[in-house]
């Protein structure tokens, strides 16, 4: 569905490349996550893919069509949710969706049903300028769905949302995937990436430094651990041991044989821990 090869981009002639030799493929019906901190190049790549930024160097093929040959009907097929909400502030939430839906040739979704799906139906007549940050984020997300797009570009779609609302939007994203939609998701939230994405790419300083399924990345880079809580000398104690280490295996056996075990939990490295291991920096 999306093929990107050797993509480069710089914002001025004398600046360093903001995106350096980026290559990836996204099959139809998968969620692909770009995982990295602010300023890593995530949004730049998305802006190039949707045509906001002109491609400078590299190859982009979307749905079998080279990016240079994409016509206006390309925008009938995509939906975009930006990190910074952009809307008509003097219009209500309903009016924003109604107006945006009128820009498409194809039949669009019912704005009221979209507002209901993101928990904004009761605020449909409120001016967008009076929406909170989280409400604006939900409105932009709903707007990205109005044309029933084949490809969704979501830039930090859950940023600033409370857990209950974020769960609701994650369910919508998964449902879109199950309906065959291809989703390009940029985020610095490793929990979101782990939960939603079929494949993730770690991007740091404009370069992809690792790319695979979340599970495979954990297997490759993560150390399998066991956290044991036990009782000894009238105290509850806790220890974390790693299964790859021979000495830790011996410690586990000794504790199991000689101590009063309270709890045992297996663990694996998180995507953020793996990102730090590879790049030496965090995601926040």
């Amino acid at each position: 569905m999306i093929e990107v090869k050797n993509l480069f981009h710089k914002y001025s002639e004398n600046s360093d490349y903001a995106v350096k030799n980026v290559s990836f493929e996204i099959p139809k019906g998968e969620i692909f996550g770009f995982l990295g901190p602010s300023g890593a190049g995530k949004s730049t790549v998305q802006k190039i893919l949707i045509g906001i930024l002109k491609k400078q160097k590299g190859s982009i093929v979307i749905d079998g069509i080279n990016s240079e040959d994409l016509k206006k009907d390309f925008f009938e097929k995509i939906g975009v949710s930006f990190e910074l909400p952009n809307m008509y502030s003097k219009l209500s939430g309903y009016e924003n969706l109604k107006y945006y839906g009128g820009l498409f040739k194809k039949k669009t979704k019912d704005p009221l049903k979209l507002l209901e799906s993101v928990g904004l139906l009761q605020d449909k007549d409120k001016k967008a300028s009076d929406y909170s940050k989280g409400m604006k984020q939900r409105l932009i997300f709903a707007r990205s769905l109005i044309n029933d797009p084949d490809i969704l570009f979501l830039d930090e779609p859950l940023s600033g949302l409370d857990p209950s609302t974020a769960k609701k939007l994650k369910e919508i994203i998964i449902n879109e995937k199950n309906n065959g939609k291809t989703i390009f998701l940029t985020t610095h939230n490793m929990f979101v990436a782990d939960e939603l994405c079929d494949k993730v790419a770690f991007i740091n300083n404009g370069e992809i430094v690792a790319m695979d399924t979340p599970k495979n990345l954990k297997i490759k880079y993560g150390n399998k651990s066991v956290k044991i809580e036990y009782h000894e000398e009238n105290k509850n104690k806790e220890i974390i041991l790693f299964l790859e280490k021979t000495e830790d295996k011996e410690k586990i056996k000794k504790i199991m044989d000689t101590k009063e075990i309270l709890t045992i939990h297996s663990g694996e490295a998180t995507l953020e821990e793996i990102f730090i291991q590879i790049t030496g920096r965090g995601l926040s």
Side-chain angles (χ1 to χ4, degrees):
M1 177 61 79
I2 300 176
E3 299 177 18
V4 176
K5 294 181 181 179
N6 311 119
L7 188 66
F8 288 81
H9 186 86
K10 60 168 60 179
Y11 283 96
S12 67
E13 189 65 32
N14 298 323
S15 66
D16 293 331
Y17 279 106
V19 172
K20 311 167 192 174
N21 202 29
V22 165
S23 300
F24 58 85
E25 294 185 13
I26 311 175
K28 178 178 171 58
E30 287 196 2
I31 302 177
F32 182 84
F34 242 28
L35 185 61
S38 297
K42 306 186 304 295
S43 296
T44 298
V45 172
Q46 174 173 294
K47 289 175 182 176
I48 296 170
L49 290 176
I50 64 178
I52 289 180
L53 290 176
K54 186 177 181 180
K55 187 194 71 176
Q56 296 173 347
K57 183 180 178 182
S59 169
I60 299 173
V61 177
I62 300 178
D63 199 17
I65 303 174
N66 194 289
S67 60
E68 284 91 349
D69 300 323
L70 292 171
K71 308 298 182 183
K72 287 184 178 180
D73 60 358
F74 167 68
F75 298 99
E76 297 278 325
K77 300 178 181 180
I78 69 170
V80 183
S81 177
F82 295 95
E83 180 180 6
L84 298 176
N86 58 333
M87 63 198 70
Y88 293 101
S89 59
K90 293 183 179 180
L91 299 182
S92 69
Y94 172 76
E95 289 168 338
N96 264 276
L97 294 190
K98 187 70 175 176
Y99 174 77
Y100 190 71
L103 300 176
F104 294 94
K105 297 177 183 178
K106 64 193 296 190
K107 183 179 179 180
T108 55
K109 293 184 176 181
D110 183 348
L112 293 178
K113 289 184 178 179
L114 283 175
L115 289 169
E116 183 178 20
S117 71
V118 298
L120 289 177
L121 185 59
Q122 68 275 21
D123 299 295
K124 65 183 178 65
D125 297 321
K126 183 184 291 188
K127 284 186 177 181
S129 59
D130 295 328
Y131 278 16
S132 67
K133 179 182 178 182
M135 292 168 70
K136 290 177 180 178
Q137 195 72 32
R138 284 182 275 162
L139 179 61
I140 296 304
F141 178 81
R143 190 182 67 185
S144 72
L145 302 173
I146 198 163
N147 58 318
D148 193 22
D150 297 326
I151 308 173
L152 271 169
F153 295 93
L154 306 178
D155 193 352
E156 301 287 3
L158 308 181
S159 176
L161 301 183
D162 63 85
S164 177
T165 304
K167 181 176 183 293
K168 186 178 298 185
L169 265 61
K170 282 188 281 189
E171 290 172 352
I172 295 174
I173 292 171
I174 292 172
N175 186 59
E176 290 295 310
K177 174 201 166 179
N178 291 338
N179 287 331
K181 307 303 173 63
T182 304
I183 301 172
F184 181 85
L185 173 70
T186 66
T187 184
H188 69 274
N189 188 319
M190 50 93 179
F191 294 109
V192 171
D194 198 358
E195 189 172 357
L196 294 180
C197 296
D198 297 288
K199 182 180 284 188
V200 298
F202 288 163
I203 183 167
N204 184 47
N205 295 326
E207 298 179 274
I208 291 179
V209 294
M211 183 165 54
D212 211 327
T213 65
K215 181 177 180 180
N216 286 345
L217 286 170
K218 291 174 184 178
I219 291 172
K220 183 175 181 179
Y221 294 101
N223 292 318
K224 297 177 182 177
S225 64
V226 175
K227 182 169 72 174
I228 303 175
E229 185 181 5
Y230 59 95
H231 191 74
E232 183 182 51
E233 298 175 352
N234 296 319
K235 293 181 181 179
N236 290 344
K237 298 184 178 181
E238 186 179 281
I239 187 171
I240 297 178
L241 301 167
F242 294 92
L243 299 179
E244 285 83 359
K245 297 181 179 180
T246 302
E247 61 269 28
D248 280 8
K249 288 182 180 180
E250 294 173 355
K251 287 180 183 178
I252 292 171
K253 185 177 187 306
K254 183 176 180 181
I255 291 172
M256 296 287 289
D257 290 341
T258 62
K259 310 298 181 186
E260 179 187 349
I261 306 300
L262 301 176
T263 63
I264 300 177
H265 297 285
S266 61
E268 61 182 1
T270 66
L271 290 181
E272 181 163 19
E273 289 169 343
I274 294 169
F275 188 91
I276 293 171
Q277 179 183 336
I278 295 173
T279 67
R281 62 184 296 195
L283 289 168
S284 59

